[in-house]
Amino acid sequence: MDTPSEKKPVREIRINPVVPSESVLVATARSMRPKKEEASAPHDSRPHVETCPFCRGNEDKTPAPIARVPAEGDWSLRIVENLYPVLGDDREDPDLAFGLQQAIDGYGRHEVIIDHSSHGIRVHEMTEEHLALLLSTYRSRMDQLYHADDRLRYVLVFKNFGPAAGASIGHTHSQIIAMPVVPRNVQAEVRNSAAFYLARRHCIFCSLIDEALTFEATLYDRDSGALTRRIRVGQYVIERSSRFIAIKPFASRFEWEVHILPLAHCADFLDATPEDLADLAGIFRRTMARLNAVLGGAQYNFFVHSLPHGEAYAESAPAFHWHIEICPRTSIPTGFELGSGLFVNTICPEDAAERLRNVALGG
Ligand SMILES: [Zn+2]
Ligand SMILES: [Zn+2]
Ligand SMILES: [Zn+2]
């Protein structure tokens, strides 16, 4: 049935190098396609929507802002309290735990960052200046929250875009949740990278970057020895900027999942400099443009993974490496995935990386 040009089907279980307990079944054979494709939702690109509480002119429909940028005049972005927080202020009677059923009070903060004044603008359509401003707002608000209350263990910054990714409001926005526990997946990443560091004296994320870049081919002139061409053939590398790299993980859970990491070792997103964030804004925008081009409008989640604060984590700074994970939603998890915890990826990560890399970006 296969035409000669078609690639051989892949069917293998790939172990996540950072968190080995998270495996992915890469199964590209057509007959194996177990998933329902998520229909791409029509995108509302209007710059202003009269009834939207996040649009300019409707500021009275949200709680008073925690912050706005700039402080005066028309705002570029605002931070407000989430009206339906998943975590909130102290309850009256936090002591509900009994026996084996232990609970930690759901204390925390849940805030919304209104990313942009334009209602329907997508990340890849924002200017790099604006994206740098957004990233530095993530950074400064994380910093403030970590220092606001020492019961807070982790500050998660994330964005849901599109109904399939859980966004309930159409206006572009991100969210910050400061929580009294470190999320299990962050803990697993920190614990495993610390174990790797103990054994190899090297950061596993740095090792993965080195490995990805090993596939770079450099051609020299035979006579003069001068460098003639450098070909980036790294099969998992989507793009490299001066300070960051966008990689398609070898064991990607989602078909179009992409991670962006600083090239230089750095554990804590709070240590990113303004120059880092300006560079990140560029590679981030281009990565989102690639995803948008390949997927024809992407619904996605992205989130920042950074070293948790607190004494227990300080010694993991040489082992852990902050990163952004971008997870486009193109299919609905099946019972097999939920029941087994084994993600099924129906597109070979190498092929996905190639398609993303080959997107011609204008500008
Ligand atoms: Zn709006
Ligand atoms: Zn590192
Ligand atoms: Zn991560």
Side-chain angles (χ1 to χ4, degrees):
M1 246 186 10
D2 282 4
T3 57
S5 64
E6 251 179 89
K7 292 196 164 110
K8 265 189 145 175
V10 175
R11 189 178 294 167
E12 60 191 28
I13 292 173
R14 295 190 175 185
I15 313 295
N16 178 338
V18 181
V19 184
S21 58
E22 275 176 17
S23 318
V24 172
L25 171 61
V26 177
T28 64
R30 283 180 178 278
S31 58
M32 257 299 297
R33 188 162 297 169
K35 289 190 185 180
K36 183 178 172 293
E37 293 261 316
E38 185 69 62
S40 62
H43 174 64
D44 180 357
S45 60
R46 288 176 293 173
H48 186 86
V49 175
E50 208 55 60
T51 52
C52 169
F54 291 175
C55 273
R56 269 191 195 146
N58 295 339
E59 288 80 1
D60 59 338
K61 296 203 174 78
T62 56
I66 295 159
R68 79 199 290 286
V69 186
E72 299 288 329
D74 280 345
W75 54 268
S76 292
L77 47 89
R78 301 167 83 222
I79 306 179
V80 298
E81 203 96 42
N82 192 312
L83 277 180
Y84 307 98
V86 296
L87 294 172
D89 291 333
D90 293 291
R91 286 177 302 166
E92 291 290 308
D93 54 343
D95 201 5
L96 295 170
F98 176 76
L100 291 175
Q101 302 171 13
Q102 291 298 317
I104 293 175
D105 185 25
Y107 172 83
R109 307 271 313 169
H110 188 171
E111 300 174 354
V112 173
I113 300 178
I114 303 167
D115 289 342
H116 200 286
S117 59
S118 174
H119 182 88
I121 195 168
R122 291 173 288 184
V123 166
H124 68 277
E125 295 163 335
M126 296 179 190
T127 63
E128 289 179 10
E129 292 72 29
H130 188 90
L131 274 176
L133 184 71
L134 179 62
L135 293 164
S136 72
T137 302
Y138 289 169
R139 202 193 139 284
S140 59
R141 192 59 195 151
M142 273 173 77
D143 196 23
Q144 288 160 4
L145 286 166
Y146 268 125
H147 293 103
D149 190 315
D150 56 15
R151 285 177 299 173
L152 296 174
R153 291 283 172 269
Y154 195 76
V155 182
L156 180 69
V157 174
F158 63 100
K159 181 176 174 75
N160 303 332
F161 186 82
S168 53
I169 200 154
H171 195 116
T172 183
H173 66 282
S174 314
Q175 302 182 54
I176 298 190
I177 296 186
M179 53 186 96
V181 291
V182 176
R184 198 178 60 106
N185 52 358
V186 177
Q187 269 190 45
E189 284 183 357
V190 174
R191 204 181 302 123
N192 286 293
S193 56
F196 184 92
Y197 188 82
L198 205 63
R200 316 261 189 103
R201 292 279 138 205
H202 206 63
C203 158
I204 188 167
F205 296 91
C206 285
S207 304
L208 287 167
I209 293 170
D210 289 343
E211 207 168 275
L213 293 176
T214 307
F215 290 91
E216 220 176 54
T218 312
L219 304 185
Y220 294 95
D221 183 87
R222 197 184 285 225
D223 298 320
S224 69
L227 193 154
T228 54
R229 246 174 106 198
R230 182 169 279 144
I231 310 172
R232 289 181 188 167
V233 288
Q235 55 180 346
Y236 298 105
V237 180
I238 290 157
E239 191 181 331
R240 204 178 97 171
S241 65
S242 61
R243 296 170 188 237
F244 287 86
I245 189 166
I247 286 186
K248 183 86 195 84
F250 154 81
S252 297
R253 294 157 295 179
F254 302 99
E255 275 78 4
W256 300 99
E257 179 176 357
V258 176
H259 295 184
I260 300 180
L261 305 89
L263 286 163
H265 181 79
C266 182
D268 192 342
F269 178 63
L270 297 191
D271 292 333
T273 65
E275 294 75 29
D276 291 335
L277 297 183
D279 185 66
L280 174 60
I283 193 170
F284 189 47
R285 188 189 64 74
R286 291 190 299 274
T287 299
M288 298 310 286
R290 289 175 197 282
L291 287 168
N292 186 70
V294 169
L295 294 174
Q299 305 193 62
Y300 58 82
N301 306 101
F302 71 67
F303 42 86
V304 178
H305 275 169
S306 182
L307 188 69
H309 280 212
E311 270 173 46
Y313 294 97
E315 64 183 19
S316 295
F320 191 71
H321 196 120
W322 75 264
H323 53 274
I324 297 176
E325 299 188 22
I326 305 163
C327 301
R329 295 306 185 106
T330 50
S331 58
I332 300 163
T334 61
F336 172 64
E337 290 178 296
L338 294 175
S340 66
L342 192 67
F343 280 86
V344 179
N345 185 336
T346 56
I347 301 173
C348 198
E350 296 79 65
D351 298 340
E354 191 181 352
R355 284 187 58 193
L356 290 169
R357 204 165 40 235
N358 289 343
V359 169
L361 295 175

